Amino acid sequence: MSFICRFAPSPTGPLHIGGVRTALFNWLLAKKNKGKFFLRIEDTDKERSKDEFKDQIITSLDWLGINHDGNEYIQSKNVKNHIAVADELLKKGFAYKCYCSEEEINEQKEKCKKQGIPYIYNRKWRDAKDLEIPKNLDPVVRFKSKISGNTIIKDLVQGERNISNSTIEDFIILRKDKSPTYQLSATVDDNEMGISHVIRGDDHMINSFKQKQIYDALGWKVPEFAHIPLIHSEQGKKLSKRDNASTIEDYIKMGIIPDALRNYLLRLGWSYKDKEIFTKQESIDLFDLKGVGKSPSRLDISRIFSINETYIKTIEKKELFNYLKLYVNKYKNKLDDSKELIIFNSLDFLKNKAKTLEDIWNNAQYIITNKIQIGHEDKKLIDENSKKIINEFIIEFEKLSKPSKENLEPIIKTLISNHKTNFKGVGQPLRIKLVGSRFGPGIYDIILSLKKDEVIRRLKDL
RNA sequence: GGUCCCAUCGUCUAUCGGUUAGGACACAUGGUUUUCAUCCAUGAAAGAGGGGUUCGAUUCCCCUUGGGACCGCCA
């Protein structure tokens, strides 16, 4: 069996994390089964579709390493075919022209609302032999949805889903301006692209029932469906663009690395035993629709940070550095080459208490800045005795031709015993002078990461 | 309101009728450490409620409750 999957977002807003997970699951399934994964931009809403969103979608998926086969399909380029199919449905009697004005429809809706009954289009023009066709009114084309019976979809995630056909109205497939609607375009394109598995959010469930009828009417092969549960915001509602930190861009800005987000999304609504960390290849090998749960899952930012931390700590230094560089160049001030080298060499300890790339950047501030700012609290910690210690350290430090941990250690130890103090008594004032805070990397790491004369310069600046 | 769906620690989840209900994040405590962190150890923390079915239900069925999605000439 071939697996042709697709992700079909509309470019009417920035791609959010729910959409990304849908794309990921489609991609995973295609990869696992050596099938294809296509990207289709559903831009038939001319009013709201924007090129910038299309670009954002493509960039986001690209950033995550979810790459599609072939060029992206642009749905609007295929409207001629969509309309042709509508005509065919019309000709075969599966669709009809409806001359109800929008006012008329709205009136009906109002009426239903007042009576407290659910609105469903009254199918006035479905078999309208006797009705007089109004002039000056462009009709819409509606699909003749089944009136009786039930439709069953064997959903790969949700199991058997059954709905009474009477609850599905005669939905519009062609607007009054003759443009196709989503139900038509998506079905025609999925068919044309040979999509075998339609994996999308659970909010599309009802659409699958509608679209199945179109497939059946045309005698097309109905694809497999899988409706994956939605991702909820921390408030427990469907994710919307208003929720902060829901677009990929937001996560990139926080300094999340692609693999970490991919891993997080993978484990949101899907699991494999007790395994938490999956390489890309592992996720392809192990992914399975059977492992997808049925209930919606809530976004948990602390989990994203935690997984990101794991990745920061375990990926190769060079890889991490590249991510950091990309991040800093985009969101922070570009680094000059000499600082870049220091940061690269110091990455092993700079990444230590970092959950994000931004944390690493913050940890590296003492390297980046040329002027150390010492906070009030920290300033207070440098008393007269500390100043003495610092001065004595400088004298010994200046003698070193090439500072190393080996030749630094005796100096510190001597200072500790001469001043009857502990490591903290010596390390703390030095750290404050060198990085501007009593918190920071290990004191040897700090000293060795900076150039010798820079260390002296900072320490002398009393 | 109508239709459909969901329900295990705060969160993500494991369990495919028999478990001291497991793991991870977060949280708390203790330990290592050179500060902050890391790391290690420990702890607290869950089957929404009520009925069935069964020798036995978290697991299967029903009801209640709670939550969600859909109800556009948007996609």
Side-chain angles (χ1 to χ4, degrees):
Chain A
M1 187 179 194
S2 66
F3 279 75
I4 315 290
C5 301
R6 90 303 197 269
F7 176 55
S10 66
T12 53
L15 185 58
H16 68 63
I17 200 159
V20 176
R21 190 184 58 157
T22 305
L24 175 66
F25 283 11
N26 273 285
W27 180 84
L28 246 17
L29 202 69
K31 291 289 154 199
K32 184 193 172 82
N33 294 287
K34 308 222 174 345
K36 297 274 184 211
F37 170 70
F38 295 123
L39 176 64
R40 185 171 75 223
I41 303 294
E42 305 215 323
D43 59 342
T44 52
D45 183 341
K46 291 158 217 119
E47 302 270 298
R48 297 196 299 154
S49 293
K50 297 266 183 329
D51 267 358
E52 58 168 299
F53 293 132
K54 184 188 87 182
D55 296 341
Q56 189 263 0
I57 290 166
I58 294 170
T59 322
S60 292
L61 293 178
D62 199 51
W63 177 82
L64 258 179
I66 301 177
N67 18 46
H68 53 273
D69 292 299
N71 293 326
E72 51 271 9
Y73 283 62
I74 305 297
Q75 187 161 64
S76 59
K77 287 186 179 167
N78 203 24
V79 290
K80 269 189 189 147
N81 279 331
H82 306 158
I83 294 169
V85 170
D87 287 340
E88 190 185 339
L89 286 166
L90 229 29
K91 207 179 292 170
K92 291 182 172 167
F94 290 112
Y96 61 94
K97 289 178 179 170
C98 163
Y99 289 87
C100 289
S101 65
E102 287 180 59
E103 293 75 41
E104 197 177 337
I105 299 284
N106 286 336
E107 262 173 44
Q108 283 180 38
K109 284 186 184 172
E110 280 299 311
K111 215 169 144 186
C112 288
K113 213 174 171 182
K114 270 182 196 157
Q115 295 178 346
I117 55 171
Y119 164 76
I120 184 161
Y121 170 66
N122 63 10
R123 309 181 207 254
K124 181 176 170 189
W125 291 86
R126 183 165 168 129
D127 297 296
K129 293 181 204 79
D130 312 329
L131 291 175
E132 197 180 317
I133 293 173
K135 293 184 174 78
N136 316 322
L137 201 89
D138 294 316
V140 297
V141 176
R142 289 182 184 269
F143 182 83
K144 270 190 198 173
S145 187
K146 286 177 187 160
I147 292 172
S148 60
N150 285 50
T151 298
I152 293 170
I153 286 179
K154 283 180 184 153
D155 191 286
L156 264 22
V157 167
Q158 308 289 338
E160 205 167 272
R161 282 288 153 95
N162 190 335
I163 197 171
S164 165
N165 290 330
S166 62
T167 60
I168 298 174
E169 69 167 357
D170 288 351
F171 53 92
I172 293 169
I173 54 175
L174 237 43
R175 301 182 185 96
K176 69 177 176 202
D177 68 356
K178 299 277 178 289
S179 64
T181 64
Y182 166 74
Q183 306 293 359
L184 213 219
S185 299
T187 308
V188 174
D189 286 350
D190 279 341
N191 180 257
E192 234 169 77
M193 291 163 74
I195 303 301
S196 65
H197 292 72
V198 173
I199 304 164
R200 62 205 341 184
D202 202 16
D203 50 342
H204 279 285
M205 195 71 220
I206 190 75
N207 294 328
S208 296
F209 285 106
K210 291 178 180 174
Q211 291 166 205
K212 182 173 187 298
Q213 294 202 36
I214 299 179
Y215 283 98
D216 288 341
L218 269 352
W220 291 347
K221 189 174 183 298
V222 183
E224 299 285 340
F225 288 105
H227 293 89
I228 60 177
L230 301 176
I231 296 179
H232 283 173
S233 66
E234 309 214 18
Q235 285 68 247
K237 303 272 185 207
K238 180 181 171 181
L239 222 47
S240 86
K241 279 143 199 154
R242 280 177 295 280
D243 290 301
N244 50 349
S246 69
T247 71
I248 293 305
E249 189 87 0
D250 293 329
Y251 293 101
I252 301 177
K253 230 178 263 175
M254 288 177 190
I256 303 296
I257 66 175
D259 256 355
L261 193 63
R262 192 217 76 231
N263 198 143
Y264 171 75
L265 254 16
L266 174 71
R267 277 289 284 101
L268 197 60
W270 178 84
S271 63
Y272 178 79
K273 296 181 180 169
D274 278 344
K275 198 168 163 60
E276 299 287 348
I277 301 296
F278 297 81
T279 64
K280 194 177 262 188
Q281 191 55 47
E282 281 173 332
S283 68
I284 292 170
D285 295 340
L286 265 18
F287 186 76
D288 191 339
L289 247 20
K290 284 191 203 100
V292 179
K294 284 188 181 183
S295 47
S297 29
R298 203 178 283 232
L299 212 53
D300 181 3
I301 191 75
S302 71
R303 188 60 162 274
I304 299 179
F305 285 136
S306 164
I307 294 182
N308 203 50
E309 187 180 7
T310 303
Y311 274 87
I312 281 178
K313 284 191 178 138
T314 51
I315 62 174
E316 296 244 348
K317 191 173 182 177
K318 253 190 134 164
E319 194 184 359
L320 179 61
F321 183 70
N322 285 337
Y323 283 136
L324 182 70
K325 221 166 122 175
L326 283 170
Y327 175 79
V328 170
N329 286 348
K330 189 160 178 197
Y331 297 106
K332 309 288 180 189
N333 301 323
K334 205 175 177 321
L335 297 167
D336 63 57
D337 291 350
S338 66
K339 306 258 173 179
E340 233 176 51
L341 186 67
I342 297 177
I343 290 175
F344 177 77
N345 290 330
S346 309
L347 215 46
D348 285 332
F349 65 86
L350 289 177
K351 75 180 184 185
N352 252 344
K353 48 179 184 167
K355 285 184 187 297
T356 64
L357 296 173
E358 185 168 36
D359 289 341
I360 297 180
W361 188 77
N362 285 335
N363 292 345
Q365 278 312 297
Y366 82 95
I367 295 169
I368 296 161
T369 186
N370 291 316
K371 202 165 166 25
I372 296 296
Q373 302 274 358
I374 302 176
H376 285 296
E377 288 301 308
D378 293 316
K379 224 169 212 165
K380 278 190 251 168
L381 291 170
I382 301 187
D383 51 18
E384 284 311 307
N385 197 46
S386 302
K387 285 180 184 171
K388 246 186 258 170
I389 292 173
I390 292 169
N391 281 327
E392 285 172 36
F393 176 82
I394 295 172
I395 291 163
E396 293 305 312
F397 183 68
E398 279 182 316
K399 291 180 191 162
L400 301 175
S401 58
K402 198 170 180 296
S404 68
K405 187 165 181 191
E406 284 67 37
N407 58 30
L408 238 28
E409 223 160 17
I411 298 176
I412 302 279
K413 279 189 175 150
T414 309
L415 284 171
I416 291 171
S417 70
N418 285 355
H419 289 267
K420 296 190 172 55
T421 180
N422 54 16
F423 197 101
K424 192 176 171 186
V426 176
Q428 191 169 69
L430 288 174
R431 181 180 292 110
I432 292 171
K433 290 303 288 182
L434 290 170
V435 311
S437 164
R438 63 188 183 283
F439 308 131
I443 195 66
Y444 296 119
D445 284 332
I446 297 170
I447 293 170
L448 297 174
S449 66
L450 295 169
K451 287 193 182 75
K452 188 182 168 190
D453 52 346
E454 179 64 16
V455 172
I456 294 165
R457 192 180 71 78
R458 291 186 186 191
L459 292 177
K460 278 188 173 168
D461 181 28
L462 288 170

